[in-house]
Short mmCIF file of all heavy atoms in Angstrom, two decimals:
data_model
loop_
_atom_site.label_atom_id
_atom_site.label_comp_id
_atom_site.label_asym_id
_atom_site.label_seq_id
_atom_site.Cartn_x
_atom_site.Cartn_y
_atom_site.Cartn_z
N THR A 1 126.07 80.06 126.14
CA THR A 1 125.85 81.09 125.14
C THR A 1 124.74 80.63 124.21
O THR A 1 124.76 79.48 123.75
CB THR A 1 127.12 81.35 124.32
OG1 THR A 1 128.15 81.81 125.19
CG2 THR A 1 126.88 82.39 123.23
N LEU A 2 123.78 81.50 123.92
CA LEU A 2 122.68 81.15 123.03
C LEU A 2 122.93 81.72 121.64
O LEU A 2 123.32 82.89 121.49
CB LEU A 2 121.35 81.69 123.57
CG LEU A 2 120.94 81.23 124.96
CD1 LEU A 2 119.53 81.71 125.28
CD2 LEU A 2 121.01 79.72 125.09
N LYS A 3 122.72 80.89 120.64
CA LYS A 3 122.88 81.31 119.25
C LYS A 3 121.60 81.00 118.48
O LYS A 3 121.03 79.91 118.63
CB LYS A 3 124.06 80.60 118.59
CG LYS A 3 125.41 80.97 119.19
CD LYS A 3 126.55 80.29 118.43
CE LYS A 3 127.90 80.66 119.02
NZ LYS A 3 129.02 80.02 118.29
N THR A 4 121.19 81.95 117.66
CA THR A 4 120.02 81.76 116.81
C THR A 4 120.51 81.52 115.38
O THR A 4 121.22 82.35 114.82
CB THR A 4 119.10 82.99 116.86
OG1 THR A 4 118.75 83.26 118.22
CG2 THR A 4 117.83 82.75 116.07
N LEU A 5 120.12 80.37 114.83
CA LEU A 5 120.59 79.97 113.50
C LEU A 5 119.39 79.74 112.60
O LEU A 5 118.41 79.11 113.01
CB LEU A 5 121.41 78.67 113.61
CG LEU A 5 122.60 78.69 114.56
CD1 LEU A 5 123.11 77.27 114.81
CD2 LEU A 5 123.72 79.57 114.01
N SER A 6 119.47 80.23 111.38
CA SER A 6 118.35 80.07 110.46
C SER A 6 118.86 79.70 109.07
O SER A 6 119.98 80.05 108.69
CB SER A 6 117.51 81.34 110.37
OG SER A 6 118.27 82.43 109.89
N GLY A 7 118.01 78.97 108.32
CA GLY A 7 118.31 78.66 106.93
C GLY A 7 119.66 78.01 106.72
O GLY A 7 120.02 77.03 107.39
N ASP A 8 120.44 78.57 105.82
CA ASP A 8 121.73 78.00 105.47
C ASP A 8 122.78 78.13 106.57
O ASP A 8 123.85 77.53 106.48
CB ASP A 8 122.26 78.65 104.18
CG ASP A 8 121.44 78.26 102.96
OD1 ASP A 8 120.76 77.21 103.02
OD2 ASP A 8 121.47 79.00 101.96
N GLU A 9 122.48 78.91 107.62
CA GLU A 9 123.41 79.00 108.75
C GLU A 9 123.42 77.72 109.58
O GLU A 9 124.36 77.49 110.34
CB GLU A 9 122.99 80.15 109.69
CG GLU A 9 122.99 81.53 109.06
CD GLU A 9 122.41 82.56 110.01
OE1 GLU A 9 121.66 82.18 110.94
OE2 GLU A 9 122.71 83.75 109.83
N ILE A 10 122.41 76.89 109.43
CA ILE A 10 122.24 75.73 110.32
C ILE A 10 123.09 74.57 109.84
O ILE A 10 122.93 74.10 108.71
CB ILE A 10 120.77 75.29 110.38
CG1 ILE A 10 119.87 76.46 110.76
CG2 ILE A 10 120.60 74.14 111.36
CD1 ILE A 10 118.38 76.14 110.67
N PRO A 11 124.01 74.06 110.66
CA PRO A 11 124.76 72.86 110.28
C PRO A 11 123.82 71.67 110.11
O PRO A 11 122.85 71.52 110.85
CB PRO A 11 125.72 72.65 111.46
CG PRO A 11 125.76 73.95 112.19
CD PRO A 11 124.43 74.58 111.98
N ARG A 12 124.12 70.83 109.14
CA ARG A 12 123.27 69.66 108.88
C ARG A 12 123.13 68.78 110.12
O ARG A 12 122.06 68.19 110.38
CB ARG A 12 123.88 68.85 107.73
CG ARG A 12 122.97 67.74 107.23
CD ARG A 12 123.60 66.91 106.12
NE ARG A 12 122.59 66.15 105.41
CZ ARG A 12 122.26 66.29 104.16
NH1 ARG A 12 122.88 67.21 103.42
NH2 ARG A 12 121.32 65.55 103.59
N ALA A 13 124.19 68.70 110.92
CA ALA A 13 124.18 67.81 112.09
C ALA A 13 123.13 68.20 113.13
O ALA A 13 122.73 67.36 113.96
CB ALA A 13 125.56 67.81 112.75
N LEU A 14 122.64 69.44 113.10
CA LEU A 14 121.67 69.86 114.09
C LEU A 14 120.28 69.25 113.86
O LEU A 14 119.48 69.17 114.80
CB LEU A 14 121.56 71.39 114.13
CG LEU A 14 122.76 72.15 114.68
CD1 LEU A 14 122.40 73.60 114.96
CD2 LEU A 14 123.32 71.50 115.95
N PHE A 15 120.00 68.82 112.65
CA PHE A 15 118.66 68.27 112.37
C PHE A 15 118.45 66.90 113.03
O PHE A 15 117.45 66.72 113.74
CB PHE A 15 118.39 68.25 110.88
CG PHE A 15 118.14 69.63 110.31
CD1 PHE A 15 119.21 70.45 109.94
CD2 PHE A 15 116.86 70.12 110.19
CE1 PHE A 15 118.98 71.73 109.45
CE2 PHE A 15 116.62 71.40 109.70
CZ PHE A 15 117.69 72.21 109.33
N PRO A 16 119.34 65.92 112.85
CA PRO A 16 119.16 64.68 113.62
C PRO A 16 119.32 64.89 115.12
O PRO A 16 118.68 64.19 115.92
CB PRO A 16 120.24 63.75 113.06
CG PRO A 16 121.22 64.62 112.36
CD PRO A 16 120.45 65.81 111.90
N LEU A 17 120.14 65.87 115.52
CA LEU A 17 120.26 66.16 116.94
C LEU A 17 118.95 66.71 117.49
O LEU A 17 118.55 66.37 118.61
CB LEU A 17 121.39 67.17 117.18
CG LEU A 17 121.60 67.61 118.63
CD1 LEU A 17 121.93 66.43 119.53
CD2 LEU A 17 122.71 68.67 118.71
N MET A 18 118.26 67.53 116.69
CA MET A 18 116.97 68.06 117.13
C MET A 18 115.99 66.92 117.35
O MET A 18 115.17 66.98 118.28
CB MET A 18 116.42 69.05 116.10
CG MET A 18 115.16 69.78 116.57
SD MET A 18 115.45 70.88 117.99
CE MET A 18 114.35 70.18 119.23
N TYR A 19 116.06 65.87 116.54
CA TYR A 19 115.19 64.72 116.77
C TYR A 19 115.49 64.09 118.13
O TYR A 19 114.57 63.72 118.87
CB TYR A 19 115.36 63.66 115.67
CG TYR A 19 114.63 62.38 116.04
CD1 TYR A 19 113.25 62.30 115.95
CD2 TYR A 19 115.34 61.28 116.53
CE1 TYR A 19 112.57 61.15 116.33
CE2 TYR A 19 114.66 60.12 116.91
CZ TYR A 19 113.28 60.06 116.80
OH TYR A 19 112.62 58.92 117.19
N ARG A 20 116.76 63.97 118.49
CA ARG A 20 117.11 63.36 119.78
C ARG A 20 116.59 64.21 120.93
O ARG A 20 116.08 63.68 121.93
CB ARG A 20 118.62 63.14 119.87
CG ARG A 20 119.14 62.10 118.90
CD ARG A 20 120.48 61.54 119.32
NE ARG A 20 121.55 62.52 119.26
CZ ARG A 20 122.25 62.79 118.16
NH1 ARG A 20 121.98 62.16 117.03
NH2 ARG A 20 123.22 63.68 118.20
N PHE A 21 116.71 65.53 120.80
CA PHE A 21 116.16 66.41 121.84
C PHE A 21 114.64 66.24 121.92
O PHE A 21 114.06 66.15 123.02
CB PHE A 21 116.51 67.87 121.55
CG PHE A 21 117.94 68.24 121.82
CD1 PHE A 21 118.63 69.09 120.97
CD2 PHE A 21 118.61 67.74 122.92
CE1 PHE A 21 119.95 69.44 121.21
CE2 PHE A 21 119.93 68.09 123.19
CZ PHE A 21 120.60 68.94 122.32
N TYR A 22 113.98 66.23 120.78
CA TYR A 22 112.53 66.04 120.71
C TYR A 22 112.13 64.71 121.32
O TYR A 22 111.19 64.63 122.13
CB TYR A 22 112.12 66.13 119.24
CG TYR A 22 110.79 65.54 118.87
CD1 TYR A 22 109.60 66.21 119.12
CD2 TYR A 22 110.71 64.30 118.21
CE1 TYR A 22 108.37 65.68 118.75
CE2 TYR A 22 109.49 63.76 117.83
CZ TYR A 22 108.33 64.45 118.11
OH TYR A 22 107.12 63.91 117.72
N GLU A 23 112.86 63.66 120.99
CA GLU A 23 112.57 62.34 121.52
C GLU A 23 112.73 62.30 123.03
O GLU A 23 111.89 61.76 123.76
CB GLU A 23 113.51 61.33 120.86
CG GLU A 23 113.28 59.89 121.27
CD GLU A 23 114.24 58.94 120.57
OE1 GLU A 23 115.45 59.28 120.48
OE2 GLU A 23 113.79 57.88 120.13
N ASN A 24 113.81 62.91 123.54
CA ASN A 24 114.04 62.92 124.98
C ASN A 24 112.94 63.67 125.72
O ASN A 24 112.48 63.24 126.79
CB ASN A 24 115.40 63.56 125.29
CG ASN A 24 116.56 62.69 124.86
OD1 ASN A 24 116.41 61.49 124.64
ND2 ASN A 24 117.73 63.29 124.72
N THR A 25 112.53 64.81 125.17
CA THR A 25 111.47 65.59 125.81
C THR A 25 110.17 64.80 125.85
O THR A 25 109.48 64.75 126.87
CB THR A 25 111.28 66.92 125.08
OG1 THR A 25 112.49 67.69 125.15
CG2 THR A 25 110.15 67.73 125.71
N CYS A 26 109.82 64.17 124.73
CA CYS A 26 108.58 63.39 124.68
C CYS A 26 108.64 62.21 125.65
O CYS A 26 107.65 61.91 126.34
CB CYS A 26 108.34 62.87 123.26
SG CYS A 26 107.92 64.16 122.07
N ASP A 27 109.80 61.55 125.74
CA ASP A 27 109.92 60.37 126.60
C ASP A 27 109.73 60.72 128.07
O ASP A 27 109.30 59.86 128.86
CB ASP A 27 111.28 59.71 126.39
CG ASP A 27 111.37 58.96 125.06
OD1 ASP A 27 110.32 58.76 124.43
OD2 ASP A 27 112.49 58.60 124.65
N LYS A 28 110.03 61.95 128.44
CA LYS A 28 109.86 62.35 129.84
C LYS A 28 108.40 62.28 130.29
O LYS A 28 108.11 62.12 131.47
CB LYS A 28 110.39 63.77 130.05
CG LYS A 28 111.89 63.90 129.95
CD LYS A 28 112.32 65.35 130.11
CE LYS A 28 113.82 65.51 129.95
NZ LYS A 28 114.23 66.93 130.06
N PHE A 29 107.49 62.41 129.31
CA PHE A 29 106.08 62.44 129.65
C PHE A 29 105.39 61.10 129.42
O PHE A 29 104.17 61.00 129.53
CB PHE A 29 105.38 63.53 128.84
CG PHE A 29 105.86 64.92 129.18
CD1 PHE A 29 106.85 65.53 128.44
CD2 PHE A 29 105.32 65.60 130.26
CE1 PHE A 29 107.31 66.79 128.76
CE2 PHE A 29 105.77 66.87 130.58
CZ PHE A 29 106.76 67.46 129.84
N GLY A 30 106.18 60.07 129.09
CA GLY A 30 105.63 58.74 128.96
C GLY A 30 104.53 58.67 127.92
O GLY A 30 104.68 59.15 126.79
N TRP A 31 103.39 58.09 128.32
CA TRP A 31 102.26 57.90 127.40
C TRP A 31 101.78 59.23 126.81
O TRP A 31 101.29 59.29 125.69
CB TRP A 31 101.12 57.21 128.15
CG TRP A 31 99.85 57.11 127.34
CD1 TRP A 31 98.73 57.87 127.47
CD2 TRP A 31 99.58 56.18 126.28
NE1 TRP A 31 97.76 57.48 126.57
CE2 TRP A 31 98.26 56.44 125.82
CE3 TRP A 31 100.31 55.16 125.68
CZ2 TRP A 31 97.67 55.72 124.80
CZ3 TRP A 31 99.72 54.44 124.65
CH2 TRP A 31 98.41 54.72 124.22
N TRP A 32 101.92 60.32 127.59
CA TRP A 32 101.42 61.62 127.16
C TRP A 32 102.48 62.41 126.41
O TRP A 32 102.31 63.59 126.15
CB TRP A 32 100.93 62.42 128.37
CG TRP A 32 99.84 61.71 129.11
CD1 TRP A 32 99.95 61.05 130.29
CD2 TRP A 32 98.48 61.58 128.71
NE1 TRP A 32 98.75 60.50 130.66
CE2 TRP A 32 97.82 60.81 129.71
CE3 TRP A 32 97.75 62.02 127.61
CZ2 TRP A 32 96.47 60.50 129.63
CZ3 TRP A 32 96.40 61.70 127.53
CH2 TRP A 32 95.78 60.95 128.53
N GLY A 33 103.57 61.78 126.04
CA GLY A 33 104.68 62.50 125.44
C GLY A 33 104.45 62.98 124.03
O GLY A 33 105.19 63.83 123.54
N SER A 34 103.46 62.45 123.33
CA SER A 34 103.10 62.93 121.99
C SER A 34 104.26 62.88 121.02
O SER A 34 104.52 63.85 120.30
CB SER A 34 102.54 64.37 122.07
OG SER A 34 101.44 64.44 122.93
N LYS A 35 104.96 61.75 121.00
CA LYS A 35 106.08 61.60 120.05
C LYS A 35 105.52 61.06 118.74
O LYS A 35 105.34 59.86 118.57
CB LYS A 35 107.15 60.68 120.63
CG LYS A 35 108.40 60.60 119.75
CD LYS A 35 109.55 59.91 120.45
CE LYS A 35 109.26 58.47 120.74
NZ LYS A 35 110.40 57.78 121.37
N TYR A 36 105.29 61.94 117.80
CA TYR A 36 104.65 61.57 116.54
C TYR A 36 105.61 61.60 115.35
O TYR A 36 105.36 60.92 114.34
CB TYR A 36 103.48 62.52 116.24
CG TYR A 36 102.43 62.54 117.32
CD1 TYR A 36 102.18 63.70 118.06
CD2 TYR A 36 101.67 61.41 117.61
CE1 TYR A 36 101.21 63.72 119.05
CE2 TYR A 36 100.71 61.42 118.60
CZ TYR A 36 100.47 62.59 119.32
OH TYR A 36 99.52 62.60 120.29
N LEU A 37 106.65 62.38 115.43
CA LEU A 37 107.53 62.59 114.28
C LEU A 37 108.70 61.62 114.30
O LEU A 37 109.23 61.30 115.36
CB LEU A 37 108.05 64.03 114.27
CG LEU A 37 106.97 65.11 114.20
CD1 LEU A 37 107.58 66.49 114.34
CD2 LEU A 37 106.17 65.01 112.91
N THR A 38 109.13 61.20 113.12
CA THR A 38 110.24 60.26 113.00
C THR A 38 111.56 61.01 112.85
O THR A 38 111.59 62.20 112.51
CB THR A 38 110.04 59.34 111.78
OG1 THR A 38 110.09 60.14 110.59
CG2 THR A 38 108.70 58.61 111.85
N LYS A 39 112.63 60.27 113.06
CA LYS A 39 113.96 60.86 112.84
C LYS A 39 114.12 61.31 111.40
O LYS A 39 114.72 62.36 111.12
CB LYS A 39 115.04 59.84 113.21
CG LYS A 39 116.46 60.37 113.06
CD LYS A 39 117.48 59.31 113.45
CE LYS A 39 118.91 59.84 113.31
NZ LYS A 39 119.90 58.79 113.65
N ARG A 40 113.57 60.51 110.48
CA ARG A 40 113.68 60.85 109.07
C ARG A 40 113.03 62.20 108.77
O ARG A 40 113.51 62.95 107.91
CB ARG A 40 113.03 59.75 108.23
CG ARG A 40 113.19 59.94 106.72
CD ARG A 40 112.54 58.78 105.97
NE ARG A 40 112.61 58.97 104.54
CZ ARG A 40 111.96 58.24 103.65
NH1 ARG A 40 111.19 57.23 104.07
NH2 ARG A 40 112.07 58.49 102.37
N PHE A 41 111.93 62.52 109.47
CA PHE A 41 111.28 63.81 109.27
C PHE A 41 112.26 64.95 109.51
O PHE A 41 112.39 65.88 108.70
CB PHE A 41 110.07 63.95 110.19
CG PHE A 41 109.46 65.33 110.17
CD1 PHE A 41 108.57 65.69 109.18
CD2 PHE A 41 109.79 66.27 111.14
CE1 PHE A 41 108.02 66.96 109.15
CE2 PHE A 41 109.25 67.54 111.11
CZ PHE A 41 108.35 67.88 110.11
#
């Protein structure tokens, strides 16, 4: 099931989770993965 969440609807836990998804996607492309953003961001 797909859910669209915006603003205050978004649980805080989704932000560090989004970093993990971003990190995993970038890692798939190795050197070309363009992983520039930190978890803290």
